[in-house]
């Protein structure tokens, strides 16, 4: 089996530097293994809104375990060397889902978490501008309504899961939540442009049971609207 | 009559060091309380369902006894209220717990070979439940014991659940992250192993007798 390297050197280096957000779409794949991509900021950079302790556990243990376990699962199989998207879409659509649920979970969660880190930045929040702002105003009848709908989606995901802002290729925006490891790429043609993790591990250290406070903090203080806008623009090409 | 949050049969710190006091406090006064509040709010619109009682409400999940517009909120919060009420009682002071005895022990050995083998299977069900949920040891309709796990606040009393064996629970473990995150973080297997120290085997025996007699323990 041919092993092929898809290391994107520029994003590897950028991912290790603070500040500059990197494109979340492609995972790092070296020698058939998926790599754990670092968030585009130091683990304490989101304080006080998301603690260093949370990042250490959430990225350093949970996200890392998905990547490590996935690599063990795919070693020596045709999935080795593929990107995360290829792996989880392949499993879900290939009819092999039932027999490969743990692999699906790890691949999807590895992807979801990278997408999540890259949806945030230090001193984030505020409001979107430009075309994205117009689309939000149009599709949700105003930014305040968008915030309420997004928070609602996060609150309404019973148990573990994610809330997503998505676009179709015409630029129409839609919000919904997914359970557990599911993401919009799996069952829809929509492109996600923003996500928030509502598994309890995402907020329990900082907020305990208060998921609503966590969601409000995410919305007001953490969202990287520049990244979201770039993803929005890219989805319409 | 509205449902109420039952008091714990012990202090918040009684299960230390295996389950920490802060977790018990938040788990009981916030999470369980929220299920009670939400269940009451949902049943306000359907007062005839309140008279069913908590066990029969859970048994009605997945059947047409529940109105469509309230089916999900009743499943989630009726399940949550039953599960947690049941859960507090199958735990006790760690110095109280010796191990299964009598008929329950014989039934465990008959179904699994030994208590240790039962624990191995139970641990696997608890660790393997992806996302939020519960692991259960229960009595099936043929009277034998089995182990299963359910997602979210589902339990084996409910109808039409995929993959879960229908059974009357005699022992259950909450593996939602809120049950263990403050002390164990991502180390769920460590939580599961520690939890055996606080299992109330007398209650498990009582639950077993009730299940064999055709009732659902609560």
């Amino acid at each position: 089996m041919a092993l092929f390297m898809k290391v994107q050197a520029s994003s590897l280096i950028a991912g290790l530097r603070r500040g500059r957000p990197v494109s979340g779409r492609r995972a790092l794949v070296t020698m058939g293994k998926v790599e754990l991509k670092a968030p585009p900021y130091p683990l304490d950079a989101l304080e006080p809104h998301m603690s260093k302790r949370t990042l250490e556990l959430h990225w350093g243990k949970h996200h890392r375990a998905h990547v490590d376990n996935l690599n063990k699962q795919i070693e020596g199989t045709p999935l080795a060397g593929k990107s995360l998207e290829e792996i989880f879409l392949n499993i879900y659509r290939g009819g092999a889902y039932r027999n490969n649920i743990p692999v699906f979970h790890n691949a999807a969660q590895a992807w979801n978490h990278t997408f999540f880190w890259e949806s945030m930045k230090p001193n984030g929040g505020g409001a979107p501008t430009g075309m994205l702002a117009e689309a939000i105003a149009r599709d949700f009848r105003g930014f305040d309504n968008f915030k309420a709908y997004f928070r609602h989606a996060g609150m309404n995901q019973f148990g573990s899961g994610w809330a997503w802002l998505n676009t179709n290729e015409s630029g129409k925006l839609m919000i919904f939540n997914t359970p557990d490891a599911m993401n919009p790429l799996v069952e829809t043609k929509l492109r996600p442009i923003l996500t928030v993790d509502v598994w309890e591990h995402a907020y329990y250290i900082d907020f305990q049971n208060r998921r609503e406070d966590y969601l409000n903090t995410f919305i007001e203080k953490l969202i990287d609207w520049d990244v979201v806008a770039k993803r929005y623009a890219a989805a319409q090409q | 009559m509205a449902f109420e949050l039952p008091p714990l049969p012990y202090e918040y710190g009684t299960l230390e060091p295996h389950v920490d006091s802060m977790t018990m406090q938040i788990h009981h006064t916030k999470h369980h309380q929220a299920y009670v509040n939400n269940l009451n709010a949902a049943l306000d619109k359907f007062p005839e369902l309140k008279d069913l009682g908590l066990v029969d409400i859970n048994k009605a999940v997945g059947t047409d006894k529940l109105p469509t517009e309230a089916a999900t909120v009743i499943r989630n919060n009726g399940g949550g209220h039953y599960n947690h009420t049941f859960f507090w009682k199958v735990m006790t002071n760690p110095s109280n717990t010796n191990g299964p005895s009598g008929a329950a022990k014989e039934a465990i050995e008959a179904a699994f070979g030994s208590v240790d083998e039962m624990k191995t299977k139970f641990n696997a069900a608890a660790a393997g439940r992806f996302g939020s949920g519960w692991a259960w040891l229960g009595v099936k309709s043929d009277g034998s014991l089995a182990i299963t796990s359910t997602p979210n606040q589902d339990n084996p009393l409910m109808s039409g659940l995929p993959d879960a064996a229908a059974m009357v629970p005699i022992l259950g473990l909450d593996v939602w992250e809120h049950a263990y995150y403050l002390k164990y973080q991502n180390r769920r297997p460590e939580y599961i192993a520690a939890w055996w120290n606080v299992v109330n085997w007398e209650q498990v025996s009582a639950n077993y007798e009730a299940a064999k007699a055709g009732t659902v323990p609560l």
Side-chain angles (χ1 to χ4, degrees), chain A residues 109-131:
Chain A
Q109 283 292 79
W111 189 94
N112 296 342
H113 281 93
T114 297
F115 197 78
F116 176 51
W117 308 132
E118 295 174 357
S119 295
M120 295 186 286
K121 68 173 186 184
N123 303 311
T129 56
M131 294 206 43

Side-chain angles (χ1 to χ4, degrees), chain A residues 88-106:
Chain A
F88 65 74
L89 289 178
N90 202 294
I91 290 174
Y92 196 81
R93 294 175 184 168
Y97 178 68
R98 255 186 194 284
N99 298 329
N100 291 285
I101 291 176
V103 189
F104 174 87
H105 283 160
N106 283 322

